Amino acid sequence: MAQVSLRNVVKRYELVQVVHNINLEIADHEFVVLVGPSGCGKSTTLRMLAGLEEISSGEIYIDSRPVSSVPPWNRDIAMVFQNYALYPHMTVAENMGFGLKLRHVPKSEIQARVKHAADILGITNLLDRRPKALSGGQRQRVAMGRALVRDPKVFLFDEPLSNLDAKLRVQMRTEIKKLHQRVNTTTIYVTHDQVEAMTLADRVVVMNGGRIEQIGPPQELYHAPKSLFVAGFVGSPGMNFVPARVEESNGSLYLSIGNRCRLAVPLARTDRYGPFVGRMMTFGIRPEHISEPSGEPQSGMAPLELPVDVVEPMGAETLVHCNLDGTTVIACLEPSTQASPGKPIKLVADMNHMHLIDPETSLVV
Amino acid sequence: MKRVWVHVGLIAFSAYILLPILWIIRTSFVPESMSYSSSLMPGFTLDNFAALLNRRNFGNSLLRSLIVSLGATLIALPFAAATGFAFARYRTGGNLGRFLVLATQMLPAIVLVLPTFTIFRSLGLTNSIFGLMIVYAALNLPFLTWILMGFFEGIPVELEWAAMIDGANPWTAFWRVVIPVSLPGLASAGILGFIMAWNEFIFALILTGPATATVPVSLAALQTQNGIRIADVSAGVVLAVIPLAIIARYAQRFIVSGLTFGAVK
């Protein structure tokens, strides 16, 4: 088990720079998830950590030891790949024991450790099979077993659940979390699925365009995103963004959307948003913070009346797509909602959870 | 009705391909004097085979062909595997390198025969099956490289990465993971190389003498001043084809995968 730190790590392919100055400190036992859209540099970063890609500049440390010039076979890490990368000519037991065999661990010890790992993952009955005789989920377990057996300093996961069907993915996600709670090895996990990132991570690193957008615990990313990208990326369905002008009247701030819609900004935010009076900004609010009015109007709740475009019942909730001055706004409502397409619906936006984004910097203010 | 015509067409086409072969087999078992008879089976004899093997030492030619073809393939295969892997995984030489490998196959054999003969004569390697083995290994190398390159490209790089992370250096990863996974590819490349060497004629004709002739040369030698002894030739062709027929029967799966690898990934 180990700390990992990346300092000013850069990756360049000839003229194209794909990873820009990554700085990341990962504590011992921590579960960190790198998340971002395809091509954001997260897998490249993971491969540089594994030693499978050279770094163009900067330094990577595992347990305070600089490893940039250490080849992957001497870094004492284990990695689970998206396509599992099981050796097709070996049985499950041989796959899991291969790393130990290369290190000349005695046969009896290899057997014991493979058995132990197989017990943890519930694959003891598969040990004599070849990978091609396994289902996707079983292969995934074997790939994890191969990592587990080695008892490495760091686990690396590169989109390990992407090849599984939706149901199995959720199940394996829980198992990975359980596994980490049990063995507690420092883990770095790459995914493009923000739900996976939120559910698994102690800390999430959101990457975009080869840069880190924000690092923080899942709740922090959800409630206090620092940029338009993070605000839009974290949460499902994504945050609604509507262009709005900040206006002041009688010492209170309002967001003016189009000609007819005016939303009151909570008093607590007056100081924060004051400098932006008169400017066009982007108003952000999550679907779950728009609801149907019930009982007495509460402070910070801004009423809205919007025409409904689409109604999507999800079971536990119903997503209602409305039109707010030409922009689609999704509201996450109770399943009992009477919303129907074409008719207007009365809603309230919980402005205590609003976000205001400066379109020039794309940063949340 | 349409199906009937399809079958008629296919039967005609099969006959077009198979009849000459069947006729050769038939002639190899018919007494010499009746070789050109138009009747289907005017007698049965094994004399043609006996004569070929006893008087003309055809058995030695078969043995020499076997040694040369096997030897050439075994020499070429490791080099082809290493080269093919370098092309596939490290893109050594880039597209130009790949083109050059292919370009060697565009030269007609006849262009290479005379310089080869000159070089081999000064090295004292003419009239020697070892010399022929070296030539075949060299001739097969680009083709085998090309086939294996396609095979290696089909192996996910993550397999090697996984091995390296497990503690293998690149050589160990190649030897313990890539090679075992590529065995079907190596087998198909080896079989194709063997068949090419087995059937090769022009280099064998120029580089060997009566004591070192391979099967194709020995078959050609059955054409004498007294004409072609068609019964002997037929028996020789049958004997020459038997090893290939056995290979085709049992290794067809590998050959097909070798020829199509890289085409459908």
Side-chain angles (χ1 to χ4, degrees):
Chain A
M1 287 173 225
Q3 301 145 296
V4 175
S5 84
L6 288 84
R7 294 182 199 157
N8 294 315
V9 171
V10 169
K11 179 67 188 178
R12 224 176 279 117
Y13 293 109
E14 291 173 6
L15 292 175
V16 190
Q17 188 163 337
V18 293
V19 172
H20 305 263
N21 274 337
I22 298 285
N23 281 292
L24 182 59
E25 298 289 329
I26 296 163
D28 198 5
H29 307 310
E30 200 177 12
F31 197 125
V32 167
V33 176
L34 307 184
V35 67
S38 303
C40 73
K42 56 193 188 300
S43 286
T44 309
T45 306
L46 194 75
R47 286 203 294 269
M48 287 193 285
L49 230 163
L52 299 169
E53 298 251 17
E54 282 182 25
I55 60 176
S56 306
S57 69
E59 187 56 84
I60 294 174
Y61 299 84
I62 297 177
D63 254 357
S64 339
R65 167 190 178 217
V67 294
S68 303
S69 50
V70 177
W73 50 94
N74 286 333
R75 287 196 186 189
D76 197 12
I77 45 171
M79 187 159 172
V80 177
F81 294 90
Q82 182 178 352
N83 61 4
Y84 322 129
L86 300 178
Y87 313 122
H89 58 297
M90 298 182 195
T91 63
V92 167
E94 287 166 342
N95 260 285
M96 289 169 69
F98 185 64
L100 300 176
K101 200 170 159 189
L102 289 174
R103 284 176 176 73
H104 306 290
V105 174
K107 223 173 184 174
S108 55
E109 194 187 330
I110 295 181
Q111 275 176 350
R113 281 166 73 169
V114 167
K115 171 87 175 50
H116 179 66
D119 282 344
I120 292 179
L121 293 163
I123 51 172
T124 315
N125 57 331
L126 306 176
L127 285 175
D128 295 326
R129 289 209 205 155
R130 299 265 166 136
K132 72 174 176 201
L134 303 177
S135 69
Q138 290 169 330
R139 285 178 201 184
Q140 185 56 59
R141 273 171 225 266
V142 175
M144 277 162 47
R146 188 167 65 180
L148 198 60
V149 158
R150 296 241 324 274
D151 191 19
K153 283 185 176 159
V154 183
F155 279 144
L156 307 179
F157 289 85
D158 190 3
E159 309 222 8
L161 305 182
S162 302
N163 284 4
L164 301 178
D165 63 57
K167 200 171 173 189
L168 201 54
R169 201 178 309 162
V170 174
Q171 189 189 335
M172 288 306 292
R173 195 173 76 200
T174 317
E175 295 214 10
I176 291 177
K177 190 151 189 169
K178 265 192 209 158
L179 186 69
H180 181 254
Q181 283 163 359
R182 180 163 176 171
V183 299
N184 236 326
T185 306
T186 311
T187 302
I188 302 159
Y189 186 108
V190 161
T191 177
H192 62 266
D193 180 350
Q194 57 92 21
V195 177
E196 231 167 272
M198 299 286 279
T199 49
L200 285 171
D202 295 326
R203 276 194 307 156
V204 179
V205 178
V206 183
M207 292 184 70
N208 182 30
R211 290 187 172 82
I212 292 180
E213 288 269 339
Q214 189 170 351
I215 306 176
Q219 289 301 326
E220 184 182 312
L221 295 186
Y222 180 81
H223 289 294
K226 284 186 178 155
S227 66
L228 177 74
F229 179 82
V230 176
F233 192 77
V234 172
S236 174
M239 192 185 283
N240 298 299
F241 296 113
V242 186
R245 184 179 301 280
V246 185
E247 289 175 353
E248 187 184 6
S249 101
N250 301 331
S252 298
L253 295 185
Y254 296 87
L255 294 179
S256 164
I257 300 163
N259 295 326
R260 286 181 298 145
C261 182
R262 224 166 161 236
L263 304 173
V265 173
L267 283 174
R269 302 201 181 200
T270 310
D271 288 348
R272 204 158 119 201
Y273 298 156
F276 301 96
V277 170
R279 279 189 54 191
M280 278 308 285
M281 303 289 277
T282 303
F283 162 56
I285 188 150
R286 295 198 181 278
E288 46 274 40
H289 296 139
I290 304 177
S291 53
E292 286 182 286
S294 60
E296 290 293 300
Q298 292 169 352
S299 81
M301 293 297 206
L304 285 164
E305 187 166 341
L306 304 173
V308 173
D309 286 337
V310 179
V311 177
E312 295 178 328
M314 307 284 283
E317 73 229 1
T318 295
L319 300 180
V320 177
H321 296 237
C322 308
N323 188 332
L324 175 53
D325 193 43
T327 310
T328 297
V329 168
I330 301 176
C332 184
L333 304 180
E334 293 291 322
S336 58
T337 180
Q338 298 298 310
S340 68
K343 288 186 186 159
I345 184 173
K346 284 198 164 105
L347 299 167
V348 286
D350 184 352
M351 300 298 275
N352 296 312
H353 289 107
M354 69 165 281
H355 301 273
L356 198 63
I357 298 139
D358 185 343
E360 280 175 20
T361 57
S362 292
L363 294 178
V364 176
V365 297
Chain B
M1 199 57 199
K2 202 175 159 195
R3 285 179 62 115
V4 173
W5 285 112
V6 169
H7 281 275
V8 168
L10 290 175
I11 288 167
F13 188 68
S14 305
Y16 177 69
I17 291 175
L18 284 175
L19 273 183
I21 298 170
L22 292 173
W23 199 253
I24 287 171
I25 297 173
R26 167 261 184 203
T27 309
S28 69
F29 290 108
V30 167
E32 168 82 44
S33 54
M34 282 178 276
S35 299
Y36 290 103
S37 150
S38 56
S39 54
L40 204 57
M41 204 69 202
F44 180 85
T45 176
L46 292 173
D47 283 354
N48 300 327
F49 291 94
L52 203 62
L53 292 170
N54 293 334
R55 275 190 287 126
R56 296 186 179 271
N57 280 332
F58 200 75
N60 287 348
S61 298
L62 280 169
L63 188 63
R64 279 193 293 271
S65 268
L66 194 68
I67 293 170
V68 169
S69 305
L70 263 183
T73 307
L74 291 178
I75 293 171
L77 214 47
F79 289 106
T83 321
F85 187 73
F87 275 123
R89 193 61 85 224
Y90 303 109
R91 296 203 63 83
T92 311
N95 286 337
L96 180 70
R98 289 172 182 229
F99 173 74
L100 287 177
V101 170
L102 205 59
T104 58
Q105 301 295 294
M106 297 173 190
L107 283 179
I110 195 75
V111 176
L112 297 169
V113 167
L114 290 179
T116 308
F117 176 75
T118 318
I119 295 167
F120 273 55
R121 193 179 52 183
S122 54
L123 291 172
L125 283 173
T126 49
N127 206 4
S128 126
I129 58 169
F130 178 64
L132 198 59
M133 208 187 276
I134 292 174
V135 171
Y136 285 175
L139 289 177
N140 272 341
L141 192 55
F143 175 68
L144 299 186
T145 301
W146 194 260
I147 287 188
L148 287 173
M149 183 174 73
F151 215 91
F152 290 137
E153 277 176 345
I155 295 175
V157 69
E158 282 88 354
L159 268 186
E160 281 155 67
W161 284 352
M164 285 189 205
I165 283 173
D166 262 347
N169 60 36
W171 173 250
T172 313
F174 178 68
W175 190 243
R176 309 251 317 240
V177 174
V178 176
I179 288 294
V181 170
S182 317
L183 278 181
L186 289 167
S188 65
I191 289 163
L192 289 167
F194 179 88
I195 293 173
M196 277 169 51
W198 182 268
N199 286 332
E200 204 287 328
F201 174 67
I202 190 95
F203 279 88
L205 180 70
I206 304 287
L207 292 176
T208 61
T212 50
T214 55
V215 167
V217 179
S218 300
L219 280 178
L222 294 174
Q223 184 179 353
T224 64
Q225 284 171 328
N226 305 327
I228 300 171
R229 294 176 55 85
I230 196 68
D232 288 358
V233 172
S234 299
V237 167
V238 169
L239 286 177
V241 165
I242 284 173
L244 300 189
I246 292 171
I247 288 177
R249 169 70 185 81
Y250 291 102
Q252 198 178 27
R253 199 162 51 91
F254 291 133
I255 299 175
V256 171
S257 78
L259 289 175
T260 56
F261 220 90
V264 280
K265 254 205 302 202

